[in-house]
Amino acid sequence: LPSAVLANPWSIRKVAEGLELALSMYPEDVAKQIAPDLEWAQTNSASAWAGRVLGDVALANQIAQNTADETPGPAVGMGLGFAWRPGSVNGVQSMSSCSPLHNQALLDAYRRTSRRLLIFAHSGVLTASDGASSRPSAAVIAALKVICCDPRNTVLITSSEAPDAVSEAFGLIPGCSLSAANGAEVAFAHGLDMPREWKRSSLAENEGWRELAFTVMSMYATRTNGATAEATAQGVLFNYAKADPEFGAMQARELHNHLSEVLQGYGVDLCLKPSTLLAKPAGVDKGVVV
């Protein structure tokens, strides 16, 4: 349970520190911290867990009965951590090959060129990456307006947010092209005075898989305390940032394998990253917009 005070049982010092921390907490802090776990435990009792397991067994049996004898019916796991999973999963990106930009070298290159393509990420670059606000500061807006007014510059802002949120944040900057939902929606600027119009990528038009993906993710979220299943503009998201790190990661890897089978043939990519698993239309990403 995420609210528990964890300690290494083989370390006397760690156990003592954990006990001291637990005993020194104010009662109201204890009640606030334990409330989500109590709610989860009350709605996910042993009898509820047994009912889900029996339901899975009944479903697998029904599928087997409805399948021809020469084709064995599939049996799928619903998130207990015992299924096969690959050692490395597509979607986990390594930043070891990236090197930081040097300000002076970047400025010199900017001044030497007569045509420039400038691509900025929304979260983490133009705004803070902690999710506190999706709106950039006044200083950032002012700088973007100056850059976009230069006819030698082509400016594109990429975002994972919905088109409405991106328009609210950057819509008043003339001459700035916008990409939302990780490339599923794009609004190109055609001059400083021309209005932008959002257009959806043809690769993202097939939405039939969303309900199926959300149903499966919701099952795993129910079995993973602190995890949620969310329907977003870019796809369907399994978020386990507030779950136990090891158990959440284990569930996400098994969910990745489950969805790989269930969504086969739908044209869907699965992107597994730390604390999230995203199902999105295949071929739709920020790179395609560029």
Side-chain angles (χ1 to χ4, degrees), residues 76-78 216 220 254-263:
V76 294
M78 295 305 294
V216 175
Y220 278 80
E254 187 170 327
L255 174 59
H256 181 281
N257 298 330
H258 190 168
L259 290 174
S260 297
E261 297 179 2
V262 173
L263 300 178

Side-chain angles (χ1 to χ4, degrees), residues 12-251:
I12 296 177
R13 180 176 62 85
K14 291 294 185 180
V15 171
E17 291 176 354
L19 289 173
E20 182 180 7
L21 174 61
L23 294 174
S24 62
M25 294 179 66
Y26 291 105
E28 54 269 23
D29 293 337
V30 174
K32 182 179 179 180
Q33 185 168 330
I34 202 174
D37 287 344
L38 285 176
E39 180 182 358
W40 188 86
Q42 291 169 354
T43 56
N44 292 273
S45 61
S47 59
W49 172 81
R52 288 196 296 266
V53 172
L54 292 176
D56 294 342
V57 173
L59 176 61
N61 182 59
Q62 179 182 357
I63 294 174
Q65 291 178 353
N66 294 337
T67 307
D69 294 337
E70 62 273 12
T71 306
V76 294
M78 295 305 294
L80 289 176
F82 303 117
W84 171 88
R85 53 183 178 267
S88 60
V89 182
N90 293 334
V92 178
Q93 302 175 355
S94 173
M95 299 299 292
S96 59
S97 60
C98 297
S99 57
L101 293 173
H102 298 285
N103 292 342
Q104 189 58 48
L106 180 62
L107 185 58
D108 292 341
Y110 182 89
R111 289 170 174 169
R112 286 196 307 267
T113 54
S114 58
R115 292 294 298 169
R116 314 176 187 107
L117 173 61
L118 306 176
I119 304 173
F120 300 100
H122 182 178
S123 177
V125 176
L126 299 178
T127 61
S129 58
D130 56 7
S133 174
S134 61
R135 299 288 298 272
S137 65
V140 170
I141 292 293
L144 287 172
K145 287 182 177 179
V146 172
I147 294 174
C148 292
C149 285
D150 190 332
R152 295 171 295 181
N153 295 337
T154 299
V155 181
L156 171 66
I157 296 176
T158 64
S159 176
S160 60
E161 300 287 340
D164 290 344
V166 179
S167 294
E168 183 180 358
F170 304 102
L172 296 180
I173 302 175
C176 182
S177 296
L178 306 175
S179 170
N182 273 348
E185 304 267 359
V186 64
F188 288 114
H190 303 283
L192 297 178
D193 301 325
M194 297 291 292
R196 288 178 294 254
E197 181 181 352
W198 285 103
K199 294 184 178 180
R200 187 162 182 82
S201 170
S202 59
L203 297 173
E205 291 180 351
N206 181 14
E207 300 287 340
W209 56 272
R210 280 178 171 263
E211 183 177 356
L212 178 59
F214 184 79
T215 299
V216 175
M217 286 189 182
S218 298
M219 293 179 182
Y220 278 80
T222 301
R223 293 158 170 78
T224 310
N225 185 19
T228 59
E230 309 167 20
T232 68
Q234 55 185 307
V236 184
L237 184 71
F238 177 75
N239 189 333
Y240 60 96
K242 295 183 179 180
D244 176 80
E246 292 186 4
F247 185 65
M250 179 185 68
Q251 293 288 78

